[in-house]
Amino acid sequence: MARAAMNFAASLADAQPVAFWLDDPGKPAALPALTTDERCDLLVVGGGYSGLWTALLAKERDPARDVVLIEGRETGWAASGRNGGFCAASLTHGLGNGIARWPDEIDRLERLGAENLDAIEEAVETYAIDCDFERTGSIDVATEPHQLAELDEMHEQARRFGFDGLELLDRDALRAEVDSPTFLGGLQDRRGTAMLHPARLAWGLKRACLDLGVRIYENTRGLELAPAGSGMAVRTPWGRVFARRVALGTNVFPSLVRRVRPYTVPVYDYALTTEPLSPAQLAAIGWRGRQGLGDAANQFHYFRLTADHRILWGGYDAVYPFGGRVSAEMDHRPETYLKLAGHFFRCFPQLEGLRFSHAWGGAIDTCSRFSAFFGTAHGGRVSYAAGYTGLGVGATRFGAEVMLDLLAGRSTERTSLEMVRTKPLPFPPEPVAWAGIELTKWSLARADARGGRRNAWLRTMDRLGLGFDS
């Protein structure tokens, strides 16, 4: 065991402590900060996917609308530039979660999600965004016998609700797609997920916004939100922005609407990328379809190929910092990197000797129902969306549409959804939040080790609809 750990450590020896996606020569230069007062029709706070899609769609809806976007650091530097690049159609963190929470709306939610993914693909083409967009689909992988039964149940549930786009794969069929001795079977969705370069998507959206006339200020934090006449004012370190309407896309960071803050907690996720695989190494694992993969455990891994044939391997540990504080020191966790490396070579022993090039982490905005929630404040002059829980690459565009509908006071198919009209349960204050999250993590790990059997705590959480299923 000690010798194996030494080998895993050696595989990480040259890994750069930076997100692979952000270590890119195409990264655009930062834009100047706001150093005076500004006025606009719409202010967007946050330069990740939520904010960028909101600004872009606002200009598409009304090219004459004066839009300003402020970002506390640089566009795409946080979750939007650190994620795995899985752009899923699901708006509900998977079909199972959607059926459990909104069975009467699941047809509409799935249709709207598919339309949303199509619209992202169209925007990538329209604005010539070079983000390695590949609509390759995804596979949920069983690595333990009890997970085969769970995938079969998921497949049957989808069929009962009229969704026939999922395909069960037995061991041989799955290993013909991607070869690992740990794979026992899988559930494939051929159209519901696209793989992409997440940071380049953010940078491409930034460029598209600028081309449409959005004024973007980087290194400009929104510090305080307050009414100002018939509109709102947001104070920044060196100025203010006066706007008729404000859309908040701050997600994991503390909301400028204080009452929204208890609905989300930050959970840190970590990932590795390998050096590029040689043709012989690629042949050893197959993976000709380039699908995104995730195993079906509670503590799960997600993995995919990059455009230059690296494997991104992430997940498993989900670390909640006591008090819910987001801090740069949490962005790296060597013990998790070592654990991920060990899991990687257990999955792909035929790649022994491969080394990792990058290792990084980042915070995910998690809510108790595992999918986004929405709302307004200050008499409808402010809207917000948050709580995407790791599936925001695609769903944030839908959230942007919802925020703009809410600011316009429009009744649409989107705003009529129960998912949009209701909120998850908020998290309790500390130390109860930390204790509950740690107990849940321990219980999920125990369920993985005990054939999927959920203990009394998890069964209680299930009955309360708190959504802690991964």
Side-chain angles (χ1 to χ4, degrees):
M1 182 68 80
R3 183 176 179 181
M6 289 177 61
N7 289 337
F8 302 151
S11 72
L12 290 160
D14 300 323
Q16 299 180 57
V18 63
F20 167 71
W21 312 114
L22 297 175
D23 186 23
D24 188 311
K27 180 180 178 181
L31 295 171
L34 177 69
T35 57
T36 184
D37 288 354
E38 269 277 21
R39 296 183 181 275
C40 60
D41 296 324
L42 172 67
L43 170 64
V44 179
V45 182
Y49 296 141
S50 286
L52 291 165
W53 280 118
T54 303
L56 182 69
L57 292 170
K59 293 295 283 186
E60 288 184 347
R61 290 186 181 193
D62 180 2
R65 182 181 299 182
D66 188 19
V67 180
V68 168
L69 183 150
I70 61 172
E71 160 56 38
R73 292 273 297 267
E74 294 182 31
T75 300
W77 77 274
S80 297
R82 298 167 186 254
N83 63 81
F86 287 63
C87 186
S90 178
L91 304 175
T92 61
H93 207 276
L95 180 61
N97 192 49
I99 289 174
R101 298 183 184 283
W102 303 288
D104 295 336
E105 291 185 343
I106 195 63
D107 286 344
R108 279 200 292 163
L109 287 165
E110 288 292 296
R111 174 177 53 78
L112 288 169
E115 291 172 356
N116 183 65
L117 182 55
D118 289 342
I120 292 172
E121 185 171 12
E122 182 179 345
V124 166
E125 182 176 348
T126 298
Y127 295 105
I129 298 175
D130 179 15
C131 63
D132 302 328
F133 189 97
E134 299 179 279
R135 196 136 175 193
T136 54
S138 62
I139 305 176
D140 292 328
V141 175
T143 58
E144 297 290 342
H146 73 271
Q147 294 167 7
L148 289 171
E150 292 170 359
L151 293 182
D152 188 64
E153 181 180 350
M154 191 185 308
H155 182 247
E156 181 56 33
Q157 185 182 48
R159 288 172 59 88
R160 285 200 307 271
F161 278 83
F163 305 115
D164 56 4
L166 304 181
E167 177 186 357
L168 278 173
L169 305 177
D170 64 18
R171 176 183 177 276
D172 291 341
L174 174 58
R175 292 188 62 175
E177 296 287 342
V178 186
D179 191 16
S180 166
T182 66
F183 291 176
L184 304 180
L187 186 61
Q188 180 162 241
D189 180 354
R190 295 186 182 276
R191 290 287 299 166
T193 304
M195 310 309 300
L196 51 75
H197 186 305
R200 288 186 187 172
L201 174 62
W203 300 334
L205 291 172
K206 171 184 173 179
R207 177 175 52 79
C209 285
L210 292 170
D211 289 346
L212 292 181
V214 177
R215 301 195 301 286
I216 298 177
Y217 298 96
E218 296 184 315
N219 293 302
T220 302
R221 288 182 58 211
L223 301 176
E224 184 181 17
L225 173 71
S230 60
M232 302 296 299
V234 171
R235 182 171 62 85
T236 73
W238 304 287
R240 294 169 298 174
V241 183
F242 297 92
R244 293 180 59 250
R245 298 290 183 266
V246 177
L248 301 178
T250 50
N251 293 16
V252 77
F253 299 99
S255 177
L256 293 178
V257 177
R258 295 187 66 88
R259 61 182 165 82
V260 176
R261 296 180 184 181
Y263 289 101
T264 62
V265 295
V267 174
Y268 278 81
D269 179 53
Y270 299 90
L272 309 172
T273 50
T274 70
E275 61 191 358
L277 273 63
S278 69
Q281 289 168 326
L282 278 171
I285 60 171
W287 214 340
R288 289 174 296 276
R290 299 181 57 82
Q291 308 94 329
L293 275 71
D295 62 58
N298 292 309
Q299 289 185 289
F300 66 96
H301 306 90
Y302 54 88
F303 40 116
R304 48 83 51 103
L305 288 170
T306 66
D308 61 350
H309 306 306
R310 303 169 192 263
I311 296 176
L312 181 146
W313 179 267
Y316 198 79
D317 279 347
V319 181
Y320 170 69
F322 185 88
R325 190 169 66 91
V326 178
S327 64
E329 64 194 47
M330 291 291 296
D331 286 348
H332 296 287
R333 197 164 189 263
E335 60 267 43
T336 293
Y337 299 152
L338 189 62
K339 186 184 300 181
L340 285 173
H343 295 173
F344 176 87
F345 288 111
R346 188 178 309 142
C347 181
F348 294 120
Q350 61 270 54
L351 298 180
E352 182 180 358
L354 192 65
R355 297 173 76 87
F356 296 99
S357 63
H358 296 76
W360 73 95
I364 295 169
D365 62 323
T366 300
C367 73
S368 62
R369 73 184 190 191
F370 271 38
S371 55
F373 62 91
F374 314 88
T376 61
H378 294 281
R381 289 174 287 180
V382 176
S383 66
Y384 57 83
Y388 292 96
T389 319
L391 259 71
V393 179
T396 44
R397 185 193 175 280
F398 175 83
E401 296 270 28
V402 171
M403 283 195 285
L404 291 172
D405 287 349
L406 293 173
L407 288 176
R410 294 174 56 194
S411 178
T412 66
E413 183 179 22
R414 289 180 290 265
T415 61
S416 70
L417 291 166
E418 183 183 353
M419 176 189 179
V420 172
R421 293 184 289 103
T422 61
K423 287 187 174 57
L425 290 174
F427 289 92
E430 297 292 14
V432 179
W434 185 86
I437 291 169
E438 289 301 304
L439 178 56
T440 300
K441 287 168 54 182
W442 177 84
S443 299
L444 290 170
R446 193 165 184 260
D448 283 338
R450 291 164 60 90
R453 294 190 296 277
R454 297 169 79 82
N455 63 14
W457 174 258
L458 292 180
R459 292 196 300 272
T460 300
M461 301 291 275
D462 292 340
R463 286 195 295 273
L464 292 174
L466 289 178
F468 289 103
D469 58 357
S470 62

